Amino acid sequence: MSKAIIFGANSDIGRAMIHYLAQEGWQVVAFARDDTAVSDLPATIIELSDVADEYAVQTAVRAAAYEIDDVDLWLYSVGDITAVSVADMPLSAWQRILNANLTGAYLTLHHSLPLLAEDAHIMFVGAIHERLRLPGLSAYAAAKAGLDALAETVKKEQRKKKVSVIRPGAVATKFWDNVPLNLPKDAMSPEKLATKIWEAYETGHKGQLDLTH
């Protein structure tokens, strides 16, 4: 049986991916900020309230080690966004966005690596951040640019593994409630994005994968 670890079970993308893998017969261990909200998911759910808290990450990954090893697919789909100008943004808001989108990606991968198969596929859900360098989105754009750099480096360090950054355009999720932008009419559904992630896994994709429609 193929095995997957997913960080971000509370996210729309994480939920869609868990359902997709379960339909394919995979064993899935997923980490959720609020495990009571995802009790319906077909996965072993482990609560992880803060992906930027190293002790919490260590504790959660140790719990996962009792459930799964030799993991084939590792997916980070945690994220956060805000729309505040640099002039008005408090440090706490800047740190919150970088923690969710970048620091959490590093910490969860750092502590998960011993559970991954030698040829595992590591995937991060990123963004086409070059299009998001807009007023108010400095923290989000900077974090997603950093995620690309992190993944590029991990690819060179973990040469036997495949490393991908899935960079969708607009996805119809609750994210859009936090920014003063209209959801584009051609926004991808989380379910469609899950199929694209699956295709990237199946084809052994490496590097950045831009999905504009």
Side-chain angles (χ1 to χ4, degrees):
M1 177 184 289
S2 299
K3 305 173 186 178
I5 281 178
I6 296 178
F7 288 88
N10 289 112
S11 72
D12 294 326
I13 295 169
R15 290 181 66 94
M17 196 63 201
I18 290 167
H19 280 295
Y20 193 99
L21 291 176
Q23 290 171 3
E24 294 294 325
W26 281 52
Q27 177 189 358
V28 181
V29 171
F31 297 83
R33 182 181 63 257
D34 177 7
D35 59 352
T36 61
V38 293
S39 58
D40 61 315
L41 290 177
T44 299
I45 303 296
I46 297 174
E47 186 165 13
L48 175 54
S49 59
D50 185 357
V51 293
D53 179 333
E54 184 167 24
Y55 178 76
V57 172
Q58 284 179 304
T59 301
V61 171
R62 284 176 186 154
Y66 289 101
E67 304 289 342
I68 200 169
D69 63 2
D70 208 28
V71 171
D72 302 289
L73 171 61
W74 182 97
L75 176 67
Y76 187 83
S77 64
V78 178
D80 198 357
I81 194 169
T82 192
V84 184
S85 70
V86 170
D88 296 327
M89 186 187 305
L91 178 59
S92 59
W94 172 269
Q95 289 176 327
R96 190 186 85 240
I97 302 307
L98 264 69
N99 281 347
N101 294 289
L102 183 56
T103 303
Y106 148 70
L107 274 178
T108 54
L109 180 61
H110 171 74
H111 289 290
S112 297
L113 280 172
L115 298 181
L116 305 191
E118 187 176 50
D119 60 347
H121 201 147
I122 297 168
M123 290 190 178
F124 303 94
V125 177
I128 305 177
H129 53 81
E130 296 87 350
R131 298 181 179 179
L132 296 171
R133 296 171 187 178
L134 303 171
L137 298 183
S138 61
Y140 185 75
K144 291 302 188 183
L147 186 65
D148 282 353
L150 171 65
E152 179 70 20
T153 304
V154 171
K155 181 175 68 173
K156 296 173 182 176
E157 294 173 348
Q158 302 287 327
R159 292 188 177 274
K160 294 184 179 180
K161 295 178 173 60
K162 295 173 282 292
V163 181
S164 299
V165 181
I166 309 301
R167 304 193 338 152
V171 182
T173 71
K174 294 185 287 290
F175 248 40
W176 289 87
D177 296 339
N178 299 321
V179 293
L181 301 171
N182 294 322
L183 179 67
K185 293 181 180 179
D186 61 349
M188 186 181 301
S189 70
E191 292 74 22
K192 183 175 181 180
L193 179 56
T195 66
K196 296 294 185 181
I197 294 172
W198 172 255
E199 290 169 4
Y201 173 81
E202 283 279 88
T203 59
H205 176 272
K206 298 179 182 179
Q208 296 178 357
L209 178 60
D210 288 0
L211 302 171
T212 55
H213 50 74

PDB file of all heavy atoms in Angstrom, residues 4 11-12 25 30-32 40 44 75 92 99 105 109 137 141 149 153-154 159-160 183:
ATOM      1  N   ALA A   4       1.136   8.253   2.382  1.00  0.00           N
ATOM      2  CA  ALA A   4       1.298   9.699   2.246  1.00  0.00           C
ATOM      3  C   ALA A   4       1.191  10.386   3.600  1.00  0.00           C
ATOM      4  O   ALA A   4       0.451   9.940   4.483  1.00  0.00           O
ATOM      5  CB  ALA A   4       0.252  10.272   1.299  1.00  0.00           C
ATOM      6  N   SER A  11      -7.149  22.662   5.515  1.00  0.00           N
ATOM      7  CA  SER A  11      -7.272  23.470   4.308  1.00  0.00           C
ATOM      8  C   SER A  11      -8.140  22.771   3.277  1.00  0.00           C
ATOM      9  O   SER A  11      -8.248  21.541   3.255  1.00  0.00           O
ATOM     10  CB  SER A  11      -5.880  23.747   3.711  1.00  0.00           C
ATOM     11  OG  SER A  11      -5.343  22.565   3.131  1.00  0.00           O
ATOM     12  N   ASP A  12      -8.757  23.543   2.408  1.00  0.00           N
ATOM     13  CA  ASP A  12      -9.588  22.962   1.348  1.00  0.00           C
ATOM     14  C   ASP A  12      -8.753  22.070   0.435  1.00  0.00           C
ATOM     15  O   ASP A  12      -9.213  21.019  -0.011  1.00  0.00           O
ATOM     16  CB  ASP A  12     -10.256  24.072   0.531  1.00  0.00           C
ATOM     17  CG  ASP A  12     -11.260  24.868   1.347  1.00  0.00           C
ATOM     18  OD1 ASP A  12     -11.919  24.273   2.217  1.00  0.00           O
ATOM     19  OD2 ASP A  12     -11.391  26.085   1.116  1.00  0.00           O
ATOM     20  N   GLY A  25      -6.743   4.205  -2.622  1.00  0.00           N
ATOM     21  CA  GLY A  25      -6.321   3.112  -1.762  1.00  0.00           C
ATOM     22  C   GLY A  25      -5.066   3.377  -0.954  1.00  0.00           C
ATOM     23  O   GLY A  25      -4.434   2.439  -0.441  1.00  0.00           O
ATOM     24  N   ALA A  30      -2.518  12.585   8.253  1.00  0.00           N
ATOM     25  CA  ALA A  30      -2.665  14.013   7.997  1.00  0.00           C
ATOM     26  C   ALA A  30      -2.621  14.796   9.297  1.00  0.00           C
ATOM     27  O   ALA A  30      -3.110  14.333  10.332  1.00  0.00           O
ATOM     28  CB  ALA A  30      -3.971  14.287   7.267  1.00  0.00           C
ATOM     29  N   PHE A  31      -2.046  15.973   9.231  1.00  0.00           N
ATOM     30  CA  PHE A  31      -1.903  16.842  10.391  1.00  0.00           C
ATOM     31  C   PHE A  31      -2.876  18.005  10.257  1.00  0.00           C
ATOM     32  O   PHE A  31      -2.971  18.632   9.203  1.00  0.00           O
ATOM     33  CB  PHE A  31      -0.468  17.362  10.493  1.00  0.00           C
ATOM     34  CG  PHE A  31       0.543  16.280  10.695  1.00  0.00           C
ATOM     35  CD1 PHE A  31       1.047  15.566   9.614  1.00  0.00           C
ATOM     36  CD2 PHE A  31       0.987  15.948  11.972  1.00  0.00           C
ATOM     37  CE1 PHE A  31       1.978  14.558   9.795  1.00  0.00           C
ATOM     38  CE2 PHE A  31       1.910  14.938  12.162  1.00  0.00           C
ATOM     39  CZ  PHE A  31       2.412  14.231  11.074  1.00  0.00           C
ATOM     40  N   ALA A  32      -3.584  18.283  11.347  1.00  0.00           N
ATOM     41  CA  ALA A  32      -4.629  19.299  11.317  1.00  0.00           C
ATOM     42  C   ALA A  32      -4.460  20.279  12.469  1.00  0.00           C
ATOM     43  O   ALA A  32      -4.141  19.879  13.584  1.00  0.00           O
ATOM     44  CB  ALA A  32      -6.004  18.646  11.402  1.00  0.00           C
ATOM     45  N   ASP A  40     -14.137  13.633   9.900  1.00  0.00           N
ATOM     46  CA  ASP A  40     -14.805  12.885   8.841  1.00  0.00           C
ATOM     47  C   ASP A  40     -13.861  12.421   7.746  1.00  0.00           C
ATOM     48  O   ASP A  40     -14.249  11.642   6.869  1.00  0.00           O
ATOM     49  CB  ASP A  40     -15.897  13.757   8.203  1.00  0.00           C
ATOM     50  CG  ASP A  40     -15.319  15.028   7.572  1.00  0.00           C
ATOM     51  OD1 ASP A  40     -14.477  15.680   8.218  1.00  0.00           O
ATOM     52  OD2 ASP A  40     -15.716  15.366   6.434  1.00  0.00           O
ATOM     53  N   THR A  44      -5.690   8.967   9.092  1.00  0.00           N
ATOM     54  CA  THR A  44      -5.306   9.083  10.493  1.00  0.00           C
ATOM     55  C   THR A  44      -4.957  10.540  10.747  1.00  0.00           C
ATOM     56  O   THR A  44      -4.046  11.088  10.117  1.00  0.00           O
ATOM     57  CB  THR A  44      -4.089   8.190  10.804  1.00  0.00           C
ATOM     58  OG1 THR A  44      -4.436   6.829  10.557  1.00  0.00           O
ATOM     59  CG2 THR A  44      -3.657   8.355  12.249  1.00  0.00           C
ATOM     60  N   LEU A  75       3.318  15.990   1.494  1.00  0.00           N
ATOM     61  CA  LEU A  75       2.695  17.191   0.937  1.00  0.00           C
ATOM     62  C   LEU A  75       2.497  18.240   2.022  1.00  0.00           C
ATOM     63  O   LEU A  75       1.920  17.952   3.077  1.00  0.00           O
ATOM     64  CB  LEU A  75       1.341  16.843   0.313  1.00  0.00           C
ATOM     65  CG  LEU A  75       0.512  18.012  -0.221  1.00  0.00           C
ATOM     66  CD1 LEU A  75       1.182  18.653  -1.435  1.00  0.00           C
ATOM     67  CD2 LEU A  75      -0.905  17.563  -0.575  1.00  0.00           C
ATOM     68  N   SER A  92       3.891  41.046  14.111  1.00  0.00           N
ATOM     69  CA  SER A  92       3.176  39.806  14.394  1.00  0.00           C
ATOM     70  C   SER A  92       2.464  39.274  13.147  1.00  0.00           C
ATOM     71  O   SER A  92       2.417  38.056  12.924  1.00  0.00           O
ATOM     72  CB  SER A  92       2.160  40.020  15.515  1.00  0.00           C
ATOM     73  OG  SER A  92       1.221  41.031  15.168  1.00  0.00           O
ATOM     74  N   ASN A  99       5.449  32.272   8.966  1.00  0.00           N
ATOM     75  CA  ASN A  99       5.419  31.012   9.712  1.00  0.00           C
ATOM     76  C   ASN A  99       4.594  29.955   8.991  1.00  0.00           C
ATOM     77  O   ASN A  99       5.009  28.805   8.849  1.00  0.00           O
ATOM     78  CB  ASN A  99       4.855  31.243  11.111  1.00  0.00           C
ATOM     79  CG  ASN A  99       5.863  31.841  12.067  1.00  0.00           C
ATOM     80  OD1 ASN A  99       7.059  31.882  11.783  1.00  0.00           O
ATOM     81  ND2 ASN A  99       5.385  32.339  13.198  1.00  0.00           N
ATOM     82  N   ALA A 105       6.948  25.007   6.595  1.00  0.00           N
ATOM     83  CA  ALA A 105       7.381  24.064   5.558  1.00  0.00           C
ATOM     84  C   ALA A 105       8.743  23.484   5.912  1.00  0.00           C
ATOM     85  O   ALA A 105       8.975  22.269   5.767  1.00  0.00           O
ATOM     86  CB  ALA A 105       7.424  24.768   4.211  1.00  0.00           C
ATOM     87  N   LEU A 109       9.161  19.460   7.242  1.00  0.00           N
ATOM     88  CA  LEU A 109      10.004  18.589   6.423  1.00  0.00           C
ATOM     89  C   LEU A 109      11.226  18.121   7.209  1.00  0.00           C
ATOM     90  O   LEU A 109      11.583  16.940   7.168  1.00  0.00           O
ATOM     91  CB  LEU A 109      10.433  19.314   5.149  1.00  0.00           C
ATOM     92  CG  LEU A 109      11.332  18.481   4.226  1.00  0.00           C
ATOM     93  CD1 LEU A 109      10.612  17.218   3.751  1.00  0.00           C
ATOM     94  CD2 LEU A 109      11.811  19.311   3.043  1.00  0.00           C
ATOM     95  N   LEU A 137       0.309  42.613  -0.226  1.00  0.00           N
ATOM     96  CA  LEU A 137       0.627  41.185  -0.248  1.00  0.00           C
ATOM     97  C   LEU A 137       2.124  40.907  -0.092  1.00  0.00           C
ATOM     98  O   LEU A 137       2.606  39.848  -0.486  1.00  0.00           O
ATOM     99  CB  LEU A 137       0.113  40.545  -1.548  1.00  0.00           C
ATOM    100  CG  LEU A 137      -1.395  40.598  -1.769  1.00  0.00           C
ATOM    101  CD1 LEU A 137      -1.763  39.855  -3.050  1.00  0.00           C
ATOM    102  CD2 LEU A 137      -2.163  40.008  -0.582  1.00  0.00           C
ATOM    103  N   ALA A 141       3.781  37.169  -0.746  1.00  0.00           N
ATOM    104  CA  ALA A 141       4.640  37.013  -1.917  1.00  0.00           C
ATOM    105  C   ALA A 141       6.062  36.652  -1.510  1.00  0.00           C
ATOM    106  O   ALA A 141       6.700  35.796  -2.141  1.00  0.00           O
ATOM    107  CB  ALA A 141       4.630  38.296  -2.746  1.00  0.00           C
ATOM    108  N   ALA A 149      12.701  28.849  -3.166  1.00  0.00           N
ATOM    109  CA  ALA A 149      14.141  28.729  -2.903  1.00  0.00           C
ATOM    110  C   ALA A 149      14.430  27.539  -1.989  1.00  0.00           C
ATOM    111  O   ALA A 149      15.404  26.802  -2.191  1.00  0.00           O
ATOM    112  CB  ALA A 149      14.661  30.021  -2.285  1.00  0.00           C
ATOM    113  N   THR A 153      16.688  24.131  -3.032  1.00  0.00           N
ATOM    114  CA  THR A 153      17.825  23.666  -2.246  1.00  0.00           C
ATOM    115  C   THR A 153      17.628  22.232  -1.771  1.00  0.00           C
ATOM    116  O   THR A 153      18.551  21.410  -1.824  1.00  0.00           O
ATOM    117  CB  THR A 153      18.040  24.597  -1.040  1.00  0.00           C
ATOM    118  OG1 THR A 153      18.203  25.943  -1.503  1.00  0.00           O
ATOM    119  CG2 THR A 153      19.292  24.203  -0.267  1.00  0.00           C
ATOM    120  N   VAL A 154      16.426  21.924  -1.297  1.00  0.00           N
ATOM    121  CA  VAL A 154      16.133  20.554  -0.852  1.00  0.00           C
ATOM    122  C   VAL A 154      16.333  19.564  -1.992  1.00  0.00           C
ATOM    123  O   VAL A 154      16.848  18.458  -1.785  1.00  0.00           O
ATOM    124  CB  VAL A 154      14.696  20.466  -0.301  1.00  0.00           C
ATOM    125  CG1 VAL A 154      14.300  19.012  -0.049  1.00  0.00           C
ATOM    126  CG2 VAL A 154      14.570  21.268   0.988  1.00  0.00           C
ATOM    127  N   ARG A 159      18.979  14.166  -3.264  1.00  0.00           N
ATOM    128  CA  ARG A 159      19.055  13.897  -4.699  1.00  0.00           C
ATOM    129  C   ARG A 159      18.293  12.646  -5.133  1.00  0.00           C
ATOM    130  O   ARG A 159      17.945  12.509  -6.299  1.00  0.00           O
ATOM    131  CB  ARG A 159      20.516  13.810  -5.135  1.00  0.00           C
ATOM    132  CG  ARG A 159      21.228  15.160  -5.040  1.00  0.00           C
ATOM    133  CD  ARG A 159      22.608  15.135  -5.656  1.00  0.00           C
ATOM    134  NE  ARG A 159      23.233  16.452  -5.602  1.00  0.00           N
ATOM    135  CZ  ARG A 159      23.066  17.408  -6.514  1.00  0.00           C
ATOM    136  NH1 ARG A 159      22.273  17.180  -7.557  1.00  0.00           N
ATOM    137  NH2 ARG A 159      23.678  18.566  -6.392  1.00  0.00           N
ATOM    138  N   LYS A 160      18.055  11.729  -4.222  1.00  0.00           N
ATOM    139  CA  LYS A 160      17.324  10.518  -4.586  1.00  0.00           C
ATOM    140  C   LYS A 160      15.805  10.720  -4.527  1.00  0.00           C
ATOM    141  O   LYS A 160      15.044   9.857  -4.961  1.00  0.00           O
ATOM    142  CB  LYS A 160      17.732   9.359  -3.693  1.00  0.00           C
ATOM    143  CG  LYS A 160      19.181   8.928  -3.895  1.00  0.00           C
ATOM    144  CD  LYS A 160      19.529   7.721  -3.060  1.00  0.00           C
ATOM    145  CE  LYS A 160      20.966   7.285  -3.302  1.00  0.00           C
ATOM    146  NZ  LYS A 160      21.330   6.095  -2.492  1.00  0.00           N
ATOM    147  N   LEU A 183     -12.549  36.705  -6.608  1.00  0.00           N
ATOM    148  CA  LEU A 183     -12.156  35.384  -7.076  1.00  0.00           C
ATOM    149  C   LEU A 183     -12.324  35.322  -8.594  1.00  0.00           C
ATOM    150  O   LEU A 183     -13.415  35.569  -9.106  1.00  0.00           O
ATOM    151  CB  LEU A 183     -13.022  34.311  -6.419  1.00  0.00           C
ATOM    152  CG  LEU A 183     -12.748  32.865  -6.831  1.00  0.00           C
ATOM    153  CD1 LEU A 183     -11.374  32.415  -6.346  1.00  0.00           C
ATOM    154  CD2 LEU A 183     -13.831  31.948  -6.276  1.00  0.00           C
TER     155      LEU A 183
END
